[in-house]
Amino acid sequence: MRKKIVAGNWKMNTSVSKGAQLASEIVNKSKEVEGVTLIVAPPFTHLTKVSEQLKGSQVALSAQNCAAEASGAYTGEVAALMIADAGASYCILGHSERREYYGEVDATLNKKLVQCFANNLIPIFCVGEKLDERESNRHFEVVKAQLQNTVFNLGEEEFGKVIIAYEPVWAIGTGKTATPEQAQEIHAFIRETLALKFGAKAEETSILYGGSCNPANAKSLFLNKDVDGGLIGGASLKADDFIAIAKSF
Ligand code: PGA
């Protein structure tokens, strides 16, 4: 069954103590939410502490990234094994900020996918076009190539677990959201593209929208049949807003 999911990408925000406080507020308010998988993705330094905060709740833990290698001499990197051991069960991969600022390419992402599955982390795999690509009407081909070069390499069982997040780069942190029509159009296209490789299994895949999603626009986005939830940045840093978004289905 396709799941409804709302995930909060905290990015490089909050101190450890503020993050723990935010997690505990989210846990308290999460009791108002039914039938939605809630996930928070704090920075690496917060994982262990937030994991304790989330115990016994319906809120799951994600990292924002993982290393492409399993272990060893990779100064500054954090392995999927460590993330899982810290209590996370999900990991965001291929966020546009990672692609843009840290040079993450498809080959790196393929290695990270392998690491996630080897350590039982469910990837929240991000795709999305830049503004000039949308304006030149190349968004379909860009997103298709991003999927073909990465997610298409998964086995069927792995594919059955992966979550896709469509995040148009021009909508991230800009206050400029995709219209519900734009979101539905490309989410349906993503599902069709996935079906080329994985057939009917693509019907079960949760495809999240990300990019300036907030309590005011979440409902109109989530109403669409191929939008299964959201990956939320800015609005996930306030428990009230995050929960209001989760209640928008
Ligand atoms: P935003 O970020 O909600 O602040 O636009 C979304 C994301 O980058 O995941």
Side-chain angles (χ1 to χ4, degrees), residues 9 11 95 97 167 171-173 210-213 231-234:
N9 175 10
K11 307 194 179 184
H95 191 280
E97 288 152 15
E167 299 204 307
I172 296 177
S212 299
C213 184
L231 179 56
I232 319 299

Side-chain angles (χ1 to χ4, degrees), residues 35-84:
V36 181
T37 301
L38 293 172
I39 303 170
V40 292
F44 287 136
T45 44
H46 302 33
L47 289 176
T48 307
K49 183 126 193 190
V50 170
S51 166
E52 282 163 21
Q53 222 82 41
L54 302 183
K55 265 202 192 107
S57 82
Q58 62 171 107
V59 186
L61 186 62
S62 175
Q64 300 173 14
N65 176 36
C66 73
E69 314 296 337
S71 66
Y74 300 99
T75 303
E77 288 293 281
V78 179
L81 172 81
M82 300 167 186
I83 293 166

